[in-house]
Amino acid sequence: MSVGIDEISFYTSNYFLDLKNLAARQQIDSDKYYQGIGQEKMGMPAPDEDVVTMAANAALPLIERVGPDAVSTVMFATETGIDQSKSAGVYVHRLLGLSPRCRVVELKQACYSATAAIQMACALVARQPEKKVLVVASDVARYDLSTPGEATQGCGAVAMLITANPRLVELDPEVGNYTEDVMDFWRPNYRSTALVDGKYSTKIYLKSLKQAWEHFREVSSLAFSDFQHFCYHLPFTRMAQKAHKHLAKVNKSELTPEMLDLQIEDSLSYNRIIGNSYTASMYIGLVSLLENCKQNLSGERVGFFSYGSGCVAEFFSGRVVAGYEQYLHGARHKAMLEARNEVSYEEYLQLYNDVDPVDGGEHQKQQGTTGRFRLAAVSHHKREYIAC
Ligand code: CAA
């Protein structure tokens, strides 16, 4: 029996800022963003949108297919949670009408926790193969204005059904891990924006890749040349290009520009126009690969590198299942991305500054999302979510 990703769907906000406009305001060359970090647009959540509404929107098409009683566990991965105590997944559980007999939990380790969720979900399914686990990863990436991180903001959520005999990607049980206590990127409880030592974070990312890969090589029979495609954690798409060159060098493998393109480029298309979505990023990259690769991926091996600052990293592998293309949501994803509205720099600032009230009063949220769920109000310190 194989275990892995049976279905995958993502959601992002209907608003984006073109980084050309950010560059113009900063009076710098837009190629720094378009070429230098490989990002063109960044998603901005609407005032009535957060990790809960995005996650519910991502998961809805999966639940509409399998039915609300089919899911035995929801694992909600995020590093921009909305409560220190209650799992964001419990709100999603209600919005999707899931069974009271379904367990729900939230997981955190920066951008890595969706991968931990998937591995735990695989273990649950291996034990009880009739179960379906819903893994959702949802984040809003926010940095201070006028910092180097500002252009790497974004938002998005991904939902995956983990099952036995999956229809999309079978995941191999062997994984390579690397953990080290470092301060490359973090967000203390009293801050709504992340703190980051930017250049250091990229160095630690590459170091973790080498270490996780070396562990993977010790436990798996697969070598670099056994992989046709790679999905990397995507804080910005140029990071994946650097990472892939680094991994090829570690393996003393030649990597022509054509090979670089073939092995990672299709996984970058969506993230280039959405921005960073932390826990969801690499998995939106997987959707991008599956939906944008012109050649048929059936039977091909994909290498995954998941990285969460702080840091925990994991290299793992999977094989695309024959017939996968019938079960994708490509048309819907593309229509959603095409229907987004571009915001001006001033509108971007308005969205950026629309932070949650903290006074315990009654606050209706301005309507802005085009998704199926919205945060209607924050009243008496309680978040009120509704279906539209
Ligand atoms: N045309 C083309 N390229 C240009 C250019 C131009 N006009 N101007 C600059 N560039 C290039 C630079 O040469 C540089 O390329 P290299 O990296 O190949 O040297 C690139 O654009 C970026 O320029 P800078 O190095 O000057 O950029 P910066 O210092 O202002 O910011 C950053 C870069 C530090 C990554 C910043 O975006 C940042 O802090 N981001 C947030 C942190 C982050 O994403 N870290 C990634 C690892 S941590 C992680 O992965 C977890 C996570 O999700 C956060």
Side-chain angles (χ1 to χ4, degrees):
M1 179 190 76
S2 62
V3 180
I5 304 172
D6 185 66
E7 195 168 0
I8 186 165
S9 155
F10 78 90
Y11 175 86
T12 187
S13 165
N14 47 302
Y15 294 125
F16 72 88
L17 177 73
D18 193 311
L19 293 178
K20 278 185 181 148
N21 292 331
L22 183 63
R25 285 296 164 146
Q26 296 171 336
Q27 299 183 315
I28 61 166
D29 184 353
S30 58
D31 275 351
K32 169 164 180 183
Y33 297 146
Y34 270 55
Q35 306 294 331
I37 63 166
Q39 290 299 125
E40 296 175 10
K41 298 169 181 172
M42 61 185 192
M44 288 298 295
D48 53 348
E49 221 161 31
D50 66 7
V51 292
V52 169
T53 62
M54 288 195 303
N57 277 305
L60 183 64
L62 311 192
I63 300 305
E64 283 176 339
R65 184 181 66 82
V66 295
D69 294 330
V71 173
S72 60
T73 299
V74 175
M75 296 198 181
F76 195 111
T78 186
E79 59 179 299
T80 51
I82 40 86
D83 195 289
Q84 290 290 350
S85 179
K86 179 170 174 172
S87 166
V90 174
Y91 297 104
V92 172
H93 175 276
R94 177 178 62 78
L95 290 172
L96 297 176
L98 303 184
S99 160
R101 296 194 167 166
C102 167
R103 74 159 75 81
V104 180
V105 67
E106 184 171 307
L107 295 94
K108 179 179 70 181
Q109 175 27 56
C111 305
Y112 164 73
S113 63
T115 299
I118 285 177
Q119 297 298 356
M120 292 173 194
C122 286
L124 284 175
V125 172
R127 205 163 128 153
Q128 289 183 293
E130 73 284 5
K131 301 283 185 195
K132 290 180 172 38
V133 179
L134 176 66
V135 171
V136 283
S138 184
D139 270 306
V140 178
R142 270 171 68 83
Y143 295 90
D144 284 343
L145 300 176
S146 308
T147 60
E150 184 180 2
T152 66
Q153 297 177 110
C155 64
V158 71
M160 293 169 271
L161 271 182
I162 306 300
T163 68
N165 304 318
R167 298 171 306 162
L168 298 184
V169 182
E170 294 171 346
L171 295 173
D172 300 315
E174 298 81 13
V175 304
N177 287 111
Y178 182 68
T179 297
E180 185 183 351
D181 183 0
V182 288
M183 295 302 278
D184 60 329
F185 166 107
W186 67 105
R187 185 170 65 83
N189 285 345
Y190 48 82
R191 287 183 62 97
S192 69
T193 51
L195 296 167
V196 62
D197 189 342
K199 296 273 192 247
Y200 177 59
S201 70
T202 60
K203 286 199 177 80
I204 292 288
Y205 179 117
L206 295 180
K207 177 184 174 187
S208 305
L209 170 60
K210 179 171 184 287
Q211 297 288 334
W213 169 257
E214 284 172 355
H215 183 208
F216 178 77
R217 288 288 289 128
E218 283 170 29
V219 296
S220 167
S221 59
L222 296 171
F224 186 68
S225 55
D226 291 320
F227 292 94
Q228 287 77 45
H229 301 274
F230 292 79
C231 290
Y232 289 91
H233 169 55
L234 293 171
F236 47 92
T237 65
R238 192 122 146 77
M239 190 72 231
Q241 292 161 348
K242 288 185 181 199
H244 198 49
K245 285 182 191 164
H246 188 67
L247 193 60
K249 203 167 147 198
V250 166
N251 283 284
K252 299 183 178 53
S253 287
E254 191 204 4
L255 188 66
T256 61
E258 293 73 34
M259 286 160 75
L260 179 76
D261 254 31
L262 194 68
Q263 292 177 354
I264 65 165
E265 206 48 41
D266 288 322
S267 72
L268 310 180
S269 310
Y270 290 158
N271 297 68
R272 205 188 298 282
I273 57 170
I274 292 173
N276 198 352
S277 53
Y278 295 157
T279 51
S281 281
M282 186 181 77
Y283 296 98
I284 293 179
L286 170 63
V287 184
S288 184
L289 168 65
L290 296 174
E291 293 179 356
N292 292 308
C293 188
K294 300 263 180 308
Q295 83 202 63
N296 192 295
L297 293 168
S298 298
E300 304 221 319
R301 281 253 179 233
V302 183
F304 297 88
F305 176 64
S306 177
Y307 176 74
S309 289
C311 69
V312 177
E314 184 158 320
F315 193 96
F316 62 104
S317 62
R319 202 150 68 161
V320 181
V321 179
Y324 72 98
E325 64 278 11
Q326 303 162 59
Y327 308 114
L328 300 173
H329 293 265
R332 185 175 53 77
H333 290 146
K334 285 178 182 145
M336 173 182 70
L337 290 170
E338 273 160 28
R340 294 188 302 167
N341 300 307
E342 179 172 352
V343 295
S344 66
Y345 179 76
E346 288 70 26
E347 289 165 328
Y348 153 68
L349 283 186
Q350 269 175 24
L351 291 172
Y352 180 95
N353 289 319
D354 190 278
V355 290
D356 284 342
V358 294
D359 62 4
E362 294 188 4
H363 302 274
Q364 299 300 312
K365 295 295 264 182
Q366 185 196 329
Q367 182 130 22
T369 182
T370 51
R372 294 276 299 274
F373 303 101
R374 62 183 296 265
L375 173 63
V378 181
S379 294
H380 312 294
H381 297 296
K382 292 178 189 163
R383 302 174 83 80
E384 295 171 14
Y385 294 101
I386 57 167
C388 301

